[in-house]
Amino acid sequence: MKKQKITKAVFPVGGLGTRFLPATKATPKEMLSVVDKPLIQYAVEEAVEAGIDTLIFINGRNKTAITNHFDKAYELEHQLELKEKEQCLAKIQNIVPRHVGCIYIRQSEALGLGHAVLCAKKVIGNEAFAVLLADDLIDGGTKGCMQQMVEQFNYSNQSIIAVQEVEHDKTDQYGIVQVDDKIAKNAKIEKIVEKPKPEVAPSNRGVVGRYILTPKIFELLENTKKGAGGEIQLTDAISELLKEEQVNAYAFDGIRYDCGSKEGFLEANMEYGLQHPDIREHLINYLEKLHERFRQDDC
Ligand code: UTP
């Protein structure tokens, strides 16, 4: 395959988000906010930082919230202008830079992540592309996770999946990979299984929601039957892809918060809050007081 650049990213945002009901009754999970920014905006910023200029959102039933978030808000902008609230205005203008385009596709039924990715087939065409699951919030430090992966892709021109070590008793919450080199940061995947029980898991390297995939994946997704949870699983199609092409597991640098779970979402809010200059001091004082109160309650 000839050398190519990653310019398109798919954001599957059509899940039901059952773990967050009732918050996700009328709003997609990806619009939940960590401090003051929705999860989807963090993921979009990570993609744009990696040089991606076409954002493809696979929307579910609550399709308007995300579309509106990345669109111009004429009325709100006008109100903020009248009130001379320039700082607030800056926060809502050009969330997506001018050179970046957004495409919205409807996933009519939540048939699974694999199905959501397949919905992007016509728009992607015959090129490698990125997939970002916004409910995995990744603080990559000086370099975003997707940027790190794009650099790997530029070198190898092969599909890449982000992985991290997960606790042994939690393998049944992840896609788990077996690699040919247990020490390498970027290693060839030999096997991938969706949510295996700890006793049969091939390793404890869990798949995190960042992928770079070659277009071959679409052909395979078209033939993928329903798998775990009765859904069309991206992992099952990747398992087939392994038979045709090399796919690598990349142990990225950074911290990942599982914002699809309540625990991970609250942890992310706490950590991002502690990094936020406006609220950091307040939060530290509050946590100290809270700690004191709980200690007294324990006595
Ligand atoms: P999850 O497995 O977290 O499912 O999806 P979910 O429905 O969003 O959440 P829970 O488990 O019911 O709480 C992983 C990613 O795939 C997307 C989700 O939006 C999320 O980004 N997804 C999942 C789709 O876009 N469509 C689907 O049919 C399923």
Side-chain angles (χ1 to χ4, degrees):
M1 199 167 61
K2 71 173 177 21
K3 279 267 173 214
Q4 40 178 294
K5 236 180 122 201
I6 303 297
T7 61
K8 294 177 181 162
V10 177
F11 299 87
V13 290
L16 297 179
T18 53
R19 284 169 287 171
F20 273 97
L21 284 170
T24 46
K25 184 181 173 197
T27 314
K29 165 172 71 173
E30 290 78 5
M31 280 302 290
L32 295 177
S33 174
V34 169
V35 185
D36 52 7
K37 219 193 275 184
L39 288 168
I40 189 68
Q41 189 175 334
Y42 287 99
V44 161
E45 287 172 356
E46 186 185 321
V48 172
E49 180 207 347
I52 286 160
D53 63 14
T54 306
L55 314 176
I56 303 158
F57 298 91
I58 312 298
N59 274 315
R61 68 211 153 89
N62 297 315
K63 62 189 168 90
T64 49
I66 288 178
T67 314
N68 289 343
H69 185 71
F70 292 108
D71 203 354
K72 197 170 166 67
Y74 289 99
E75 205 185 312
L76 178 58
E77 287 189 23
H78 180 62
Q79 299 280 341
L80 294 174
E81 270 162 14
L82 288 180
K83 292 183 194 297
E84 296 180 1
K85 290 196 175 272
E86 282 85 14
Q87 282 186 345
C88 293
L89 199 56
K91 284 183 188 164
I92 62 157
Q93 283 177 326
N94 305 322
I95 288 182
V96 171
R98 284 180 205 283
H99 73 280
V100 174
C102 296
I103 296 170
Y104 299 93
I105 296 173
R106 180 78 197 265
Q107 184 189 19
S108 47
E109 253 185 290
L111 296 178
L113 175 58
H115 178 257
V117 172
L118 183 58
C119 291
K121 180 183 172 198
K122 282 212 170 71
V123 177
I124 300 281
N126 193 29
E127 53 185 276
F129 62 101
V131 178
L132 292 94
L133 306 187
D135 54 353
D136 270 337
L137 174 62
I138 301 181
D139 180 355
T142 50
K143 196 184 281 178
C145 179
M146 187 47 70
Q147 167 87 50
Q148 297 173 39
M149 291 172 72
V150 164
E151 285 173 11
Q152 293 292 326
F153 178 83
N154 290 344
Y155 178 72
S156 71
N157 228 26
Q158 291 161 338
S159 295
I160 307 170
I161 302 174
V163 293
Q164 69 168 21
E165 302 266 313
V166 299
E167 286 167 45
H168 183 63
D169 62 346
K170 298 218 167 86
T171 56
D172 56 0
Q173 296 174 18
Y174 294 86
I176 298 287
V177 297
Q178 178 181 306
V179 288
D180 70 339
D181 181 339
K182 291 195 178 80
I183 303 162
K185 212 168 163 55
N186 198 34
K188 180 183 173 193
I189 300 178
E190 291 174 330
K191 193 175 173 187
I192 183 166
V193 217
E194 183 66 18
K195 302 189 169 80
K197 293 219 156 52
E199 51 281 17
V200 291
S203 78
N204 63 343
R205 284 193 185 198
V207 174
V208 165
R210 300 290 183 276
Y211 309 76
I212 291 179
L213 298 167
T214 60
K216 183 90 194 158
I217 197 75
F218 292 125
E219 230 174 85
L220 302 167
L221 277 169
E222 273 168 342
N223 295 309
T224 303
K225 306 254 171 336
K226 285 181 182 171
E231 295 193 337
I232 297 173
Q233 297 288 353
L234 182 59
T235 307
D236 293 343
I238 292 172
S239 180
E240 290 303 307
L241 187 63
L242 296 182
K243 296 176 191 161
E244 313 219 9
E245 294 176 1
Q246 179 162 336
V247 180
N248 300 313
Y250 176 66
F252 61 94
D253 291 319
I255 304 171
R256 168 250 184 189
Y257 300 91
D258 175 11
C259 291
S261 76
K262 289 191 254 297
E263 299 87 336
F265 179 70
L266 289 172
E267 281 169 20
N269 267 291
M270 202 61 83
E271 295 233 9
Y272 277 62
L274 286 168
Q275 288 169 29
H276 197 294
D278 294 354
I279 58 171
R280 180 183 155 77
E281 282 304 311
H282 172 87
L283 208 50
I284 290 172
N285 290 336
Y286 171 71
L287 287 173
E288 276 169 3
K289 276 188 210 144
L290 198 65
H291 182 60
E292 199 51 42
R293 207 168 80 205
F294 273 86
R295 275 228 314 241
Q296 281 166 4
D297 286 353
D298 285 346
C299 291

